[in-house]
PDB file of all heavy atoms in Angstrom:
ATOM      1  N   LEU A   1      -5.447   9.099   0.074  1.00 96.00           N
ATOM      2  CA  LEU A   1      -4.943   7.796   0.495  1.00 96.00           C
ATOM      3  C   LEU A   1      -3.743   7.430  -0.366  1.00 96.00           C
ATOM      4  O   LEU A   1      -3.794   7.515  -1.588  1.00 96.00           O
ATOM      5  CB  LEU A   1      -6.030   6.735   0.354  1.00 96.00           C
ATOM      6  CG  LEU A   1      -5.593   5.288   0.597  1.00 96.00           C
ATOM      7  CD1 LEU A   1      -5.243   5.081   2.068  1.00 96.00           C
ATOM      8  CD2 LEU A   1      -6.683   4.319   0.173  1.00 96.00           C
ATOM      9  N   VAL A   2      -2.680   7.013   0.280  1.00 98.00           N
ATOM     10  CA  VAL A   2      -1.490   6.555  -0.415  1.00 98.00           C
ATOM     11  C   VAL A   2      -1.501   5.038  -0.533  1.00 98.00           C
ATOM     12  O   VAL A   2      -1.338   4.480  -1.614  1.00 98.00           O
ATOM     13  CB  VAL A   2      -0.205   7.022   0.293  1.00 98.00           C
ATOM     14  CG1 VAL A   2       1.032   6.474  -0.412  1.00 98.00           C
ATOM     15  CG2 VAL A   2      -0.158   8.543   0.357  1.00 98.00           C
ATOM     16  N   ALA A   3      -1.681   4.382   0.599  1.00 98.00           N
ATOM     17  CA  ALA A   3      -1.696   2.928   0.628  1.00 98.00           C
ATOM     18  C   ALA A   3      -2.360   2.448   1.898  1.00 98.00           C
ATOM     19  O   ALA A   3      -2.357   3.143   2.911  1.00 98.00           O
ATOM     20  CB  ALA A   3      -0.269   2.369   0.532  1.00 98.00           C
ATOM     21  N   SER A   4      -2.923   1.266   1.846  1.00 97.00           N
ATOM     22  CA  SER A   4      -3.531   0.668   3.021  1.00 97.00           C
ATOM     23  C   SER A   4      -3.276  -0.825   3.017  1.00 97.00           C
ATOM     24  O   SER A   4      -3.030  -1.423   1.965  1.00 97.00           O
ATOM     25  CB  SER A   4      -5.037   0.951   3.080  1.00 97.00           C
ATOM     26  OG  SER A   4      -5.713   0.333   1.998  1.00 97.00           O
ATOM     27  N   ILE A   5      -3.358  -1.409   4.200  1.00 97.00           N
ATOM     28  CA  ILE A   5      -3.170  -2.844   4.330  1.00 97.00           C
ATOM     29  C   ILE A   5      -4.132  -3.366   5.382  1.00 97.00           C
ATOM     30  O   ILE A   5      -4.244  -2.821   6.480  1.00 97.00           O
ATOM     31  CB  ILE A   5      -1.700  -3.180   4.679  1.00 97.00           C
ATOM     32  CG1 ILE A   5      -1.500  -4.697   4.754  1.00 97.00           C
ATOM     33  CG2 ILE A   5      -1.264  -2.496   5.978  1.00 97.00           C
ATOM     34  CD1 ILE A   5      -0.030  -5.096   4.792  1.00 97.00           C
ATOM     35  N   SER A   6      -4.845  -4.409   5.052  1.00 95.00           N
ATOM     36  CA  SER A   6      -5.830  -4.986   5.949  1.00 95.00           C
ATOM     37  C   SER A   6      -5.177  -5.966   6.907  1.00 95.00           C
ATOM     38  O   SER A   6      -4.010  -6.323   6.777  1.00 95.00           O
ATOM     39  CB  SER A   6      -6.923  -5.690   5.146  1.00 95.00           C
ATOM     40  OG  SER A   6      -6.424  -6.890   4.576  1.00 95.00           O
ATOM     41  N   GLY A   7      -5.967  -6.409   7.879  1.00 90.00           N
ATOM     42  CA  GLY A   7      -5.462  -7.396   8.817  1.00 90.00           C
ATOM     43  C   GLY A   7      -5.064  -8.690   8.143  1.00 90.00           C
ATOM     44  O   GLY A   7      -4.176  -9.397   8.620  1.00 90.00           O
ATOM     45  N   GLY A   8      -5.718  -8.996   7.027  1.00 90.00           N
ATOM     46  CA  GLY A   8      -5.397 -10.191   6.277  1.00 90.00           C
ATOM     47  C   GLY A   8      -4.259 -10.024   5.301  1.00 90.00           C
ATOM     48  O   GLY A   8      -3.888 -10.980   4.611  1.00 90.00           O
ATOM     49  N   GLY A   9      -3.708  -8.809   5.210  1.00 93.00           N
ATOM     50  CA  GLY A   9      -2.571  -8.571   4.344  1.00 93.00           C
ATOM     51  C   GLY A   9      -2.904  -8.030   2.968  1.00 93.00           C
ATOM     52  O   GLY A   9      -1.996  -7.827   2.154  1.00 93.00           O
ATOM     53  N   SER A  10      -4.176  -7.797   2.693  1.00 96.00           N
ATOM     54  CA  SER A  10      -4.551  -7.227   1.405  1.00 96.00           C
ATOM     55  C   SER A  10      -4.126  -5.766   1.338  1.00 96.00           C
ATOM     56  O   SER A  10      -4.324  -5.015   2.291  1.00 96.00           O
ATOM     57  CB  SER A  10      -6.051  -7.334   1.186  1.00 96.00           C
ATOM     58  OG  SER A  10      -6.466  -8.690   1.146  1.00 96.00           O
ATOM     59  N   THR A  11      -3.566  -5.370   0.218  1.00 97.00           N
ATOM     60  CA  THR A  11      -3.060  -4.008   0.064  1.00 97.00           C
ATOM     61  C   THR A  11      -3.776  -3.262  -1.039  1.00 97.00           C
ATOM     62  O   THR A  11      -4.331  -3.853  -1.967  1.00 97.00           O
ATOM     63  CB  THR A  11      -1.553  -4.008  -0.226  1.00 97.00           C
ATOM     64  OG1 THR A  11      -1.303  -4.752  -1.430  1.00 97.00           O
ATOM     65  CG2 THR A  11      -0.781  -4.648   0.917  1.00 97.00           C
ATOM     66  N   ASP A  12      -3.733  -1.949  -0.925  1.00 97.00           N
ATOM     67  CA  ASP A  12      -4.315  -1.082  -1.934  1.00 97.00           C
ATOM     68  C   ASP A  12      -3.434   0.146  -2.056  1.00 97.00           C
ATOM     69  O   ASP A  12      -2.954   0.672  -1.051  1.00 97.00           O
ATOM     70  CB  ASP A  12      -5.737  -0.687  -1.551  1.00 97.00           C
ATOM     71  CG  ASP A  12      -6.462   0.035  -2.669  1.00 97.00           C
ATOM     72  OD1 ASP A  12      -6.371  -0.420  -3.823  1.00 97.00           O
ATOM     73  OD2 ASP A  12      -7.129   1.051  -2.392  1.00 97.00           O
ATOM     74  N   TYR A  13      -3.214   0.596  -3.284  1.00 98.00           N
ATOM     75  CA  TYR A  13      -2.351   1.741  -3.543  1.00 98.00           C
ATOM     76  C   TYR A  13      -3.045   2.734  -4.451  1.00 98.00           C
ATOM     77  O   TYR A  13      -3.831   2.359  -5.325  1.00 98.00           O
ATOM     78  CB  TYR A  13      -1.045   1.304  -4.209  1.00 98.00           C
ATOM     79  CG  TYR A  13      -0.199   0.371  -3.386  1.00 98.00           C
ATOM     80  CD1 TYR A  13      -0.347  -1.005  -3.489  1.00 98.00           C
ATOM     81  CD2 TYR A  13       0.757   0.867  -2.502  1.00 98.00           C
ATOM     82  CE1 TYR A  13       0.429  -1.870  -2.734  1.00 98.00           C
ATOM     83  CE2 TYR A  13       1.539   0.009  -1.744  1.00 98.00           C
ATOM     84  CZ  TYR A  13       1.367  -1.353  -1.867  1.00 98.00           C
ATOM     85  OH  TYR A  13       2.147  -2.213  -1.111  1.00 98.00           O
ATOM     86  N   SER A  14      -2.729   3.986  -4.264  1.00 97.00           N
ATOM     87  CA  SER A  14      -3.226   4.999  -5.171  1.00 97.00           C
ATOM     88  C   SER A  14      -2.451   4.910  -6.483  1.00 97.00           C
ATOM     89  O   SER A  14      -1.312   4.431  -6.521  1.00 97.00           O
ATOM     90  CB  SER A  14      -3.079   6.395  -4.564  1.00 97.00           C
ATOM     91  OG  SER A  14      -1.721   6.745  -4.423  1.00 97.00           O
ATOM     92  N   GLY A  15      -3.069   5.388  -7.558  1.00 97.00           N
ATOM     93  CA  GLY A  15      -2.451   5.296  -8.869  1.00 97.00           C
ATOM     94  C   GLY A  15      -1.061   5.890  -8.964  1.00 97.00           C
ATOM     95  O   GLY A  15      -0.147   5.263  -9.522  1.00 97.00           O
ATOM     96  N   PRO A  16      -0.824   7.090  -8.434  1.00 96.00           N
ATOM     97  CA  PRO A  16       0.496   7.719  -8.569  1.00 96.00           C
ATOM     98  C   PRO A  16       1.649   6.979  -7.903  1.00 96.00           C
ATOM     99  O   PRO A  16       2.808   7.216  -8.253  1.00 96.00           O
ATOM    100  CB  PRO A  16       0.292   9.097  -7.910  1.00 96.00           C
ATOM    101  CG  PRO A  16      -1.167   9.357  -8.052  1.00 96.00           C
ATOM    102  CD  PRO A  16      -1.807   8.014  -7.871  1.00 96.00           C
ATOM    103  N   VAL A  17       1.359   6.097  -6.944  1.00 97.00           N
ATOM    104  CA  VAL A  17       2.442   5.435  -6.221  1.00 97.00           C
ATOM    105  C   VAL A  17       2.565   3.958  -6.545  1.00 97.00           C
ATOM    106  O   VAL A  17       3.516   3.308  -6.075  1.00 97.00           O
ATOM    107  CB  VAL A  17       2.301   5.609  -4.695  1.00 97.00           C
ATOM    108  CG1 VAL A  17       2.113   7.075  -4.341  1.00 97.00           C
ATOM    109  CG2 VAL A  17       1.154   4.768  -4.152  1.00 97.00           C
ATOM    110  N   LYS A  18       1.656   3.435  -7.333  1.00 97.00           N
ATOM    111  CA  LYS A  18       1.710   2.022  -7.666  1.00 97.00           C
ATOM    112  C   LYS A  18       3.029   1.678  -8.354  1.00 97.00           C
ATOM    113  O   LYS A  18       3.478   2.378  -9.250  1.00 97.00           O
ATOM    114  CB  LYS A  18       0.547   1.632  -8.574  1.00 97.00           C
ATOM    115  CG  LYS A  18      -0.788   1.543  -7.868  1.00 97.00           C
ATOM    116  CD  LYS A  18      -1.885   1.092  -8.817  1.00 97.00           C
ATOM    117  CE  LYS A  18      -3.216   0.964  -8.102  1.00 97.00           C
ATOM    118  NZ  LYS A  18      -4.304   0.555  -9.015  1.00 97.00           N
ATOM    119  N   GLY A  19       3.626   0.602  -7.909  1.00 97.00           N
ATOM    120  CA  GLY A  19       4.897   0.173  -8.466  1.00 97.00           C
ATOM    121  C   GLY A  19       6.100   0.829  -7.837  1.00 97.00           C
ATOM    122  O   GLY A  19       7.235   0.402  -8.084  1.00 97.00           O
ATOM    123  N   ARG A  20       5.884   1.868  -7.036  1.00 98.00           N
ATOM    124  CA  ARG A  20       6.995   2.574  -6.410  1.00 98.00           C
ATOM    125  C   ARG A  20       6.992   2.451  -4.882  1.00 98.00           C
ATOM    126  O   ARG A  20       8.053   2.420  -4.270  1.00 98.00           O
ATOM    127  CB  ARG A  20       6.971   4.055  -6.788  1.00 98.00           C
ATOM    128  CG  ARG A  20       7.107   4.315  -8.284  1.00 98.00           C
ATOM    129  CD  ARG A  20       7.293   5.801  -8.583  1.00 98.00           C
ATOM    130  NE  ARG A  20       6.131   6.590  -8.180  1.00 98.00           N
ATOM    131  CZ  ARG A  20       6.154   7.545  -7.253  1.00 98.00           C
ATOM    132  NH1 ARG A  20       7.293   7.835  -6.631  1.00 98.00           N
ATOM    133  NH2 ARG A  20       5.058   8.221  -6.954  1.00 98.00           N
ATOM    134  N   PHE A  21       5.808   2.411  -4.294  1.00 98.00           N
ATOM    135  CA  PHE A  21       5.681   2.333  -2.841  1.00 98.00           C
ATOM    136  C   PHE A  21       5.228   0.943  -2.425  1.00 98.00           C
ATOM    137  O   PHE A  21       4.491   0.271  -3.153  1.00 98.00           O
ATOM    138  CB  PHE A  21       4.656   3.346  -2.322  1.00 98.00           C
ATOM    139  CG  PHE A  21       5.067   4.785  -2.438  1.00 98.00           C
ATOM    140  CD1 PHE A  21       6.197   5.172  -3.147  1.00 98.00           C
ATOM    141  CD2 PHE A  21       4.312   5.771  -1.822  1.00 98.00           C
ATOM    142  CE1 PHE A  21       6.571   6.501  -3.256  1.00 98.00           C
ATOM    143  CE2 PHE A  21       4.669   7.107  -1.915  1.00 98.00           C
ATOM    144  CZ  PHE A  21       5.802   7.469  -2.632  1.00 98.00           C
ATOM    145  N   THR A  22       5.635   0.542  -1.238  1.00 98.00           N
ATOM    146  CA  THR A  22       5.216  -0.736  -0.677  1.00 98.00           C
ATOM    147  C   THR A  22       4.816  -0.546   0.781  1.00 98.00           C
ATOM    148  O   THR A  22       5.587   0.000   1.567  1.00 98.00           O
ATOM    149  CB  THR A  22       6.333  -1.785  -0.759  1.00 98.00           C
ATOM    150  OG1 THR A  22       6.719  -1.982  -2.125  1.00 98.00           O
ATOM    151  CG2 THR A  22       5.847  -3.117  -0.193  1.00 98.00           C
ATOM    152  N   ILE A  23       3.618  -0.992   1.120  1.00 98.00           N
ATOM    153  CA  ILE A  23       3.165  -0.926   2.497  1.00 98.00           C
ATOM    154  C   ILE A  23       3.277  -2.310   3.125  1.00 98.00           C
ATOM    155  O   ILE A  23       3.028  -3.324   2.471  1.00 98.00           O
ATOM    156  CB  ILE A  23       1.713  -0.396   2.596  1.00 98.00           C
ATOM    157  CG1 ILE A  23       1.311  -0.168   4.058  1.00 98.00           C
ATOM    158  CG2 ILE A  23       0.734  -1.340   1.904  1.00 98.00           C
ATOM    159  CD1 ILE A  23      -0.014   0.569   4.213  1.00 98.00           C
ATOM    160  N   SER A  24       3.677  -2.349   4.377  1.00 97.00           N
ATOM    161  CA  SER A  24       3.801  -3.610   5.092  1.00 97.00           C
ATOM    162  C   SER A  24       3.486  -3.375   6.560  1.00 97.00           C
ATOM    163  O   SER A  24       3.436  -2.236   7.023  1.00 97.00           O
ATOM    164  CB  SER A  24       5.205  -4.207   4.930  1.00 97.00           C
ATOM    165  OG  SER A  24       6.192  -3.355   5.477  1.00 97.00           O
ATOM    166  N   ARG A  25       3.270  -4.457   7.286  1.00 96.00           N
ATOM    167  CA  ARG A  25       2.973  -4.326   8.711  1.00 96.00           C
ATOM    168  C   ARG A  25       3.635  -5.431   9.503  1.00 96.00           C
ATOM    169  O   ARG A  25       3.847  -6.544   9.002  1.00 96.00           O
ATOM    170  CB  ARG A  25       1.453  -4.327   8.955  1.00 96.00           C
ATOM    171  CG  ARG A  25       0.741  -5.601   8.511  1.00 96.00           C
ATOM    172  CD  ARG A  25      -0.773  -5.421   8.530  1.00 96.00           C
ATOM    173  NE  ARG A  25      -1.315  -5.358   9.879  1.00 96.00           N
ATOM    174  CZ  ARG A  25      -2.578  -5.045  10.169  1.00 96.00           C
ATOM    175  NH1 ARG A  25      -3.426  -4.733   9.191  1.00 96.00           N
ATOM    176  NH2 ARG A  25      -2.995  -5.025  11.433  1.00 96.00           N
ATOM    177  N   ASP A  26       3.955  -5.115  10.738  1.00 95.00           N
ATOM    178  CA  ASP A  26       4.508  -6.064  11.684  1.00 95.00           C
ATOM    179  C   ASP A  26       3.526  -6.118  12.844  1.00 95.00           C
ATOM    180  O   ASP A  26       3.515  -5.239  13.698  1.00 95.00           O
ATOM    181  CB  ASP A  26       5.896  -5.624  12.155  1.00 95.00           C
ATOM    182  CG  ASP A  26       6.561  -6.651  13.049  1.00 95.00           C
ATOM    183  OD1 ASP A  26       5.866  -7.443  13.695  1.00 95.00           O
ATOM    184  OD2 ASP A  26       7.808  -6.659  13.102  1.00 95.00           O
TER     185      ASP A  26
END
């Protein structure tokens, strides 16, 4: 898992990508 985002907008990132990757949804 790299990153995930819930319907409510909560996000989660794996350790290696934290601070570098951003997940978003439209």
